[in-house]
Amino acid sequence: MAALTDDPRFAATTFVVIDFEGLTPAGRPAEPIEVAALALCTRDGRLVETGRFEDLMRPPADVPVTARDVQLKGITQRMLTSAAPAAEVIAQLEARLTTPPYRLVAHHASAEARLIARQSEHCPVLAATPLLDTLRLAKAVVPGLGSYGLDSLLGHYGIPKPAGRHRAMPDVEVTAQLLIRLLDDGCAGGRWSTLLELDMAAGLQPTQPPPAPDAEQEALF
């Protein structure tokens, strides 16, 4: 990854790998019930973890957890009863994002982008942050795979599937591992050496303008 970490813009950027788990009621957008984020910064020529956040979120009362949701995600209605609502939890994550520049990173990032956009009132920094999509990075680095789903890419790279697959933090942890492998392979193949080239290959631009910085906030990510 040396070519990328030599790029001043890349080296100055914090990459926040993010994942939401949600419920999808009929005829309505998905309601988030869990979020996890893991911050990666350049240290000594490699990306290392510098912070993490995770929490459950209580959905609206008219959005139940179905048996299929429990089977897939392992999150029950009882687990969510005492959780804070999404607006409060996402605002808590937002409060940690005080030292830009950032890139959000997600697998199939458009889904995360849509959810963040619906919560933009509570997370203006998140809503104004560009994303990198590991699915699109993978298509550039490993063309011709039959599937670019997260499980398929974990298998391709020999990254063990986590026991808590489909929970937010386990998914974030393996997506971070996948990101590093894709960046390494892309550098080795001459596909990118700058943050701009990453943005061109797999970037999603935000729809919200950046908020004014608050100089009094403490940097936590």
Side-chain angles (χ1 to χ4, degrees), residues 26 38 45 66 76 124 137 158 169 179 204:
L38 190 155
T66 67
T76 67
L137 288 176
M169 184 54 77
L179 171 69
L204 294 176

Side-chain angles (χ1 to χ4, degrees), residues 113-199:
R114 288 192 295 269
L115 194 151
I116 290 169
R118 290 194 293 272
Q119 296 287 337
S120 60
E121 177 184 356
H122 313 294
C123 56
V125 172
L126 279 174
T129 301
L131 295 97
L132 284 175
D133 189 347
T134 50
L135 187 152
R136 292 173 62 188
L137 288 176
K139 286 185 174 182
V141 173
V142 197
L145 287 184
S147 169
Y148 290 90
L150 183 56
D151 287 338
S152 295
L153 289 166
L154 296 181
H156 175 80
Y157 277 106
I159 300 170
K161 187 186 299 186
R165 178 77 173 93
H166 297 297
R167 291 294 301 271
M169 184 54 77
D171 284 4
V172 158
E173 290 174 336
V174 292
T175 301
Q177 293 179 55
L178 176 63
L179 171 69
I180 291 169
R181 296 290 295 274
L182 291 170
L183 295 183
D184 282 340
D185 284 1
C187 282
R191 294 186 177 276
W192 41 65
S193 59
T194 66
L195 181 61
L196 177 60
E197 289 170 329
L198 287 178
D199 287 337

Side-chain angles (χ1 to χ4, degrees), residues 74-91:
I75 299 174
T76 67
Q77 191 80 53
R78 183 175 181 179
M79 293 167 63
L80 300 176
T81 300
S82 60
E88 183 177 328
V89 173
I90 291 174

Side-chain angles (χ1 to χ4, degrees), residues 10-162:
F10 181 95
T13 298
T14 299
F15 296 87
V16 180
V17 186
I18 192 166
D19 181 65
F20 290 92
E21 299 298 330
L23 306 175
T24 308
R28 290 169 55 177
E31 293 285 352
I33 58 171
E34 189 176 35
V35 62
L38 190 155
L40 300 170
C41 292
T42 301
R43 299 286 187 272
D44 298 323
R46 59 193 184 96
L47 286 177
V48 299
E49 179 183 339
T50 57
R52 59 173 56 200
F53 176 95
E54 64 177 318
D55 210 347
L56 293 169
M57 294 175 277
R58 186 174 71 247
D62 62 342
V63 180
V65 179
T66 67
R68 185 177 183 277
D69 292 322
V70 175
Q71 181 181 22
L72 180 65
K73 301 177 173 66
I75 299 174
T76 67
Q77 191 80 53
R78 183 175 181 179
M79 293 167 63
L80 300 176
T81 300
S82 60
E88 183 177 328
V89 173
I90 291 174
Q92 290 172 3
L93 172 58
E94 172 87 356
R96 303 189 69 171
L97 303 175
T98 60
T99 54
Y102 294 103
R103 287 295 184 278
L104 300 180
V105 179
H107 197 71
H108 192 50
S110 58
E112 263 59 39
R114 288 192 295 269
L115 194 151
I116 290 169
R118 290 194 293 272
Q119 296 287 337
S120 60
E121 177 184 356
H122 313 294
C123 56
V125 172
L126 279 174
T129 301
L131 295 97
L132 284 175
D133 189 347
T134 50
L135 187 152
R136 292 173 62 188
L137 288 176
K139 286 185 174 182
V141 173
V142 197
L145 287 184
S147 169
Y148 290 90
L150 183 56
D151 287 338
S152 295
L153 289 166
L154 296 181
H156 175 80
Y157 277 106
I159 300 170
K161 187 186 299 186

Side-chain angles (χ1 to χ4, degrees), residues 95 97-100 125 211-220:
L97 303 175
T98 60
T99 54
V125 172
D214 184 347
E216 297 182 358
Q217 288 182 310
E218 180 184 0
L220 295 175

